Amino acid sequence: MRKAIELSINNVAEGGGPFGAVIAKNGEIVATGVNRVTAEHDPTAHAEIGAIRAAAKVLGTFNLSGCEIYTSCEPCPMCLGAIYWAHLDRMFYGNDKHDAAEIGFDDDFIYRELDLKPEHRRLKSQRLLPQEASRAFEDWKSKPDKTEY
């Protein structure tokens, strides 16, 4: 946890956001990440996402079971989703989402949006060509040699 906090502090000094993350396996650091959203002009370049991508590359797998993540702040909805998809065993965090909101990183509106039906969300959306889109799903469902995840 101290390494994640150190990364977050150093990242602020280097022009990045105040977030750092570490993924460890068997007590050893596998990968780290810091918030690079503004530096890389990438809204998905959060510390947790960077650490997950780096750990998956180091370990050669998309399934990070057996690993845990230490993050300087409670993850946003995107990062929390990625943590679940990566199958990390445990998560530890320093600051919480309320602390983040106090400094301008308020993700509460995303949580509220997720509870709404798509037609009531702020982001207008419309379903198009569902019959055509279903082809890939049908192909996946019948594919005998697929890698489940």
Side-chain angles (χ1 to χ4, degrees), residues 108-125:
D108 191 52
F109 79 95
I110 298 173
Y111 288 108
R112 289 193 312 270
E113 288 283 303
L114 291 171
D115 284 337
L116 299 174
K117 292 181 178 181
E119 61 270 17
H120 295 123
R121 293 179 185 157
R122 190 170 79 184
L123 177 64
K124 299 302 174 208
S125 62

Side-chain angles (χ1 to χ4, degrees), residues 15-45:
F19 306 98
V22 171
I23 293 181
K25 184 171 187 169
N26 299 323
E28 299 292 323
I29 292 176
V30 173
T32 64
V34 293
N35 181 285
R36 305 298 298 156
V37 169
T38 58
E40 295 180 10
H41 310 289
D42 179 354
T44 68

